[in-house]
Amino acid sequence: MRCARDGANVIIAAKTAEPHPKLPGTIYTAAKEIEQAGGQALPCIVDVRFEDQVAKAFEDGAKKFGGIDILVNNASAISLTGTLDTNMKKYDLMNQVNARGTFLCSKLAIPYLKKSSNPHILNLSPPLNLNPKWFKNNLAYTMAKYGMSFCVLGMSEELKEDGIAVNALWPRTAIATDAIDFIGSVEMRKQSRTTDIMADAAYQILVKDAKSISGKFLIDEDVLKSELGMSNFDKYAVEPGNPLLMDFFLDDVEGQESLPMGKDDTSSASGSDVTGSMNALKKLLSPELVQKINGVYAFKITDANITDWYLDLKNGDGKIDSGVFNGQVNCTMTMNSDVFNKMISGSMKPTMAFMSGKLKIKGEMGLAMKLEKLMSSLKSKL
């Protein structure tokens, strides 16, 4: 959209021709927005797993606009699951869309880009951070996402003599896309920045001389700092003043320490003892809550005196107790006692604990996100 304001011609290559029941927008509504912003658009129904569809989009785009100067690889599939919980269908989808899709689109774009006076490939993928914490909880996703980054590493060298810039751009914080509501929570959106920050950063990269920048793994904030001298990014916050949720794959994130880590209000929950926190949770139990949540949580507290607990919000009036639940568990959450107690007291949000690798989630991600509202309710009752 930022490029459209300069009159750019945009090929929209995506699968969404019909409205998604939970995610708004199609390639046609996006094309209309681009044209309203001042650009021209060509919506193309494309599944990046199929070479013929990608090739046709390039052919039709080059024919309509006279060539192709820029490729942005943004298509991505995600499943934040461990090895045993990642079925091969999910594994294949992530690798076909993320790594293979990026490779395929780049491969087919190269002949067109070689004819451009300022050719760019920009992948929305992270720096290659080999810290094991980014692999242990969602190995398959990390492998697939890093495949996009490996394309930057290799193609930037391979295409150097052709003058084609190949770079990666990644956000420092969570970005408030419609998808974040689908996989996350309203609270997560409030701790995010708008898509404008990525658009503005991408624009600054794509208007540069391709020969002057290639093989870089860039962060949105850093681009705007270096190119525009920006130091205050409040205008991009969904809710200015809220602590921001850091994105994956970044160890040293500005603002991470400013996240609320206040005093634990649950006085009986300290050290490796979580009994006080469990007793506090009992205050929430009600038939209404069972009807609203309709799920069973299992908590594995790695350093507690009693390691296994469950929260049944699916049956009767609800129940919380130590031990293993006798039945189907919908969501298992593994963490140490300090993280659990802070989550119960409201001084650490479950989304933050998960994003920082302190909380491991197995099972229904949507049910896990409901726990955040549960914790907020508990804090108000303590």
Side-chain angles (χ1 to χ4, degrees):
M1 202 62 65
R2 176 62 185 84
C3 294
R5 293 204 296 269
D6 282 359
N9 303 318
V10 183
I11 304 169
I12 307 167
K15 290 171 57 180
T16 315
E18 299 293 332
H20 189 281
K22 294 185 178 180
L23 301 177
T26 68
I27 56 175
Y28 304 110
T29 58
K32 185 176 180 179
E33 291 175 6
I34 287 169
E35 290 168 352
Q36 289 174 343
Q40 295 187 66
L42 175 65
C44 298
I45 300 174
V46 175
D47 185 330
V48 296
R49 294 174 293 178
F50 298 100
E51 185 172 0
D52 59 336
Q53 294 182 22
V54 176
K56 188 176 187 306
F58 281 125
E59 291 169 6
D60 292 348
K63 182 178 180 180
K64 180 177 177 66
F65 298 130
I68 294 172
D69 302 294
I70 295 167
L71 169 66
V72 177
N73 286 309
N74 184 39
S76 187
I78 183 171
S79 178
L80 299 177
T81 48
T83 300
L84 294 178
D85 295 309
T86 305
N87 61 50
M88 295 315 295
K89 183 178 180 180
K90 288 181 180 178
Y91 178 93
D92 290 340
L93 176 65
M94 286 189 286
N95 279 276
Q96 288 167 357
V97 173
N98 300 359
R100 185 181 182 275
T102 294
F103 183 89
L104 172 61
C105 291
S106 301
K107 170 185 168 68
L108 297 183
I110 290 170
Y112 298 99
L113 294 174
K114 284 183 176 181
K115 299 175 184 178
S116 171
S117 60
N118 194 38
H120 283 266
I121 296 175
L122 183 63
N123 296 348
L124 300 192
S125 64
L128 290 166
N129 184 344
L130 297 183
N131 187 327
K133 77 176 184 179
W134 301 120
F135 292 81
K136 67 177 184 178
N137 292 331
N138 36 255
L139 175 60
Y141 172 66
T142 298
M143 291 169 63
K145 202 66 186 176
Y146 277 18
M148 299 176 69
S149 300
F150 282 131
C151 286
V152 172
L153 194 65
M155 291 181 185
S156 60
E157 287 297 312
E158 180 182 359
L159 303 176
K160 184 180 292 185
E161 292 185 3
D162 297 304
I164 300 175
V166 188
N167 296 289
L169 178 64
W170 192 246
R172 187 169 293 282
T173 71
I175 299 296
T177 61
D178 292 307
I180 208 167
D181 291 335
F182 184 59
I183 66 171
S185 65
V186 174
E187 193 64 32
M188 187 183 288
R189 175 178 278 271
K190 292 178 180 178
Q191 294 176 264
S192 305
R193 285 174 173 159
T194 68
T195 55
D196 290 344
I197 189 169
M198 286 291 282
D200 289 350
Y203 177 85
Q204 293 301 319
I205 297 166
L206 298 173
V207 297
K208 291 181 71 69
D209 181 355
K211 294 183 176 63
S212 70
I213 182 169
S214 191
K216 305 295 184 183
F217 293 91
L218 303 163
I219 305 300
D220 54 359
E221 253 189 33
D222 297 339
V223 172
L224 298 177
K225 285 178 183 177
S226 62
E227 298 299 321
L228 300 178
M230 290 184 65
S231 58
N232 187 320
F233 302 93
D234 287 349
K235 72 174 186 176
Y236 296 114
V238 172
E239 289 197 4
N242 264 5
L244 294 168
L245 193 62
M246 66 178 180
D247 207 347
F248 292 110
F249 309 118
L250 302 178
D251 291 337
D252 183 16
V253 179
E254 184 178 339
Q256 182 177 356
E257 295 302 319
S258 67
L259 288 165
M261 298 294 180
K263 183 179 179 181
D264 192 338
D265 293 322
T266 311
S267 59
S268 59
S270 60
S272 59
D273 180 21
V274 297
T275 306
S277 291
M278 295 300 178
N279 288 334
L281 269 177
K282 289 181 180 179
K283 298 178 181 180
L284 295 179
L285 298 180
S286 69
E288 293 76 21
L289 187 62
V290 169
Q291 185 177 9
K292 182 177 181 180
I293 302 296
N294 190 33
V296 177
Y297 297 90
F299 300 111
K300 292 189 176 294
I301 314 300
T302 56
D303 63 340
N305 300 325
I306 303 174
T307 58
D308 290 302
W309 295 79
Y310 66 86
L311 174 61
D312 179 3
L313 293 177
K314 193 171 187 177
N315 303 291
D317 295 337
K319 182 180 180 181
I320 186 166
D321 203 351
S322 60
V324 177
F325 181 72
N326 184 23
Q328 182 179 357
V329 172
N330 304 107
C331 180
T332 300
M333 311 180 81
T334 303
M335 71 215 88
N336 65 31
S337 57
D338 181 60
V339 171
F340 183 79
N341 288 333
K342 285 181 177 178
M343 282 169 45
I344 297 300
S345 72
S347 63
M348 178 181 287
K349 296 182 183 296
T351 48
M352 177 56 206
F354 176 71
M355 294 287 278
S356 62
K358 296 177 181 178
L359 167 65
K360 185 176 180 180
I361 299 172
K362 176 182 176 182
E364 298 178 21
M365 184 64 66
L367 191 63
M369 295 308 169
K370 288 183 180 181
L371 191 65
E372 193 148 299
K373 290 185 178 180
L374 197 64
M375 299 308 183
S376 298
S377 300
L378 176 61
K379 186 177 182 181
S380 67
K381 293 183 179 182
L382 290 175

